Amino acid sequence: MNRGLMIFLGCVLTFSSAWLGLVVLPYWQLNNEAPYQSPGSATAYPQPPSAEVAAGGKVYQANGCLYCHSQQVRSQHFANGADIARGWGQRRNVSRDYIYDRPILLGTMRTGPDLAAIGERNASPSWHHEHLFNPRSKSDWSIMPSFSYLYERRKIENGQRSPTALTLGREWTVLPGKRYRPTSEQWTATLAADGEKLQQLYAVARPNQPLGSLTDPAHQDRLLTFWLALPEEEYEIVPKPAADQLVAYLIDLRKTSTPLPEAHEP
Ligand code: HEC
């Protein structure tokens, strides 16, 4: 046999064994995984996503959430069970948790917390909307980017706030994605125009505190903090459909709530 043929056959063997071992075999092993029907429960786990949730998965993909968030809770035997100890999930994830995910968004980066079970630990839509609109409104140290372009800031019609409007104070809503502070001139003008009204609101909100004078700088600072936390009177922030879909997707991420036999770790 000549050398060229030997090299050729060697290459074929090397690549085909890798292909068999890394592609074909896992495909055979995992391709037929079905939802798990636990004896006591009426519905199998996992369930196919609703149209809203599936659309939210696309928004998650399009906005690069994957670059900072994984969706895989690691084994108890990895790093002393650090993922479970942090509260990221109740058990490790296994392949069956992902059978309806297309594509599977496992992720490798963990700049932010793992989200495989975010719907288990926080199922509040309003929290997620406010956090996505501006993560600093929840933790001022957060380095997560603002996704305020998934929301619309609009004038309130006929004094009727929309039921889906975010309840954040003006500090977060005047400049979407940023944190608003008035300049000292603006603040002086606001106090001159609305100071008395603000004093009344403050007295109602803090009935047990002595009400300072409008000219006292320390009290002016307290009023400023109070005013920044109040929602704007004329404008509101409402989620666009993509934001609603994304939040539905996040709340549907419950990849550790159902015990699976193969996820059991002694
Ligand atoms: C640049 C990195 C980065 C990107 C991109 C990013 N995040 Fe985050 N995320 C973080 C960090 C850091 C935190 C922790 C601080 C906080 O709660 O804001 C976080 C926290 C979260 C939390 C709260 C998790 C918990 O355990 O409380 C959710 C939910 C979340 N992100 C969703 C998203 C979604 C959805 C997207 C895409 C639209 C996204 N993130 C994009 C960095 C990122």
Side-chain angles (χ1 to χ4, degrees), residues 76-246:
Q76 285 280 17
H77 301 301
F78 190 92
N80 295 322
D83 285 9
I84 293 166
R86 285 178 182 125
W88 285 354
Q90 303 172 51
R91 60 161 171 84
R92 68 171 165 149
N93 283 125
V94 292
S95 54
R96 206 198 307 239
D97 292 318
Y98 304 92
I99 53 181
Y100 290 118
D101 293 15
R102 291 291 178 279
I104 296 170
L105 301 167
L106 285 182
T108 55
M109 285 295 287
R110 286 181 156 183
T111 309
D114 187 273
L115 297 180
I118 183 66
E120 293 168 42
R121 62 177 181 275
N122 187 344
S124 157
S126 60
W127 189 94
H128 285 293
H129 278 304
E130 292 173 11
H131 180 251
L132 286 167
F133 181 73
N134 192 333
R136 259 67 59 203
S137 70
K138 296 296 165 200
S139 322
D140 60 6
W141 45 265
S142 177
I143 56 154
M144 176 165 146
S146 153
F147 293 92
S148 58
Y149 52 83
L150 299 176
Y151 296 81
E152 187 193 348
R153 180 173 189 267
R154 65 180 188 200
K155 237 185 148 76
I156 295 176
E157 312 253 328
N158 321 321
Q160 202 66 55
R161 211 173 272 275
S162 152
T164 61
L166 272 52
T167 53
L168 288 171
R170 79 185 73 233
E171 176 165 19
W172 307 105
T173 60
V174 171
L175 304 170
K178 300 198 174 71
R179 197 167 186 170
Y180 164 74
R181 294 251 139 191
T183 62
S184 57
E185 291 80 28
Q186 283 169 341
W187 180 231
T188 314
T190 307
L191 277 183
D194 298 326
E196 289 304 330
K197 205 174 82 193
L198 206 56
Q199 284 281 65
Q200 284 169 15
L201 288 172
Y202 187 86
V204 173
R206 313 253 189 294
N208 301 322
Q209 267 177 33
L211 193 63
S213 145
L214 259 184
T215 50
D216 170 15
H219 185 60
Q220 287 184 352
D221 280 351
R222 283 195 290 274
L223 279 181
L224 175 60
T225 312
F226 178 69
W227 180 72
L228 285 170
L230 289 178
E232 290 178 86
E233 285 96 17
E234 294 190 354
Y235 287 90
E236 61 180 2
I237 307 284
V238 286
K240 294 181 187 169
D244 283 324
Q245 291 160 353
L246 180 57

Side-chain angles (χ1 to χ4, degrees), residues 10-28:
C11 289
V12 169
L13 198 76
T14 309
F15 284 108
S16 59
S17 60
W19 179 70
L20 277 173
L22 297 173
V23 179
V24 178
L25 229 83
Y27 181 77
W28 274 339

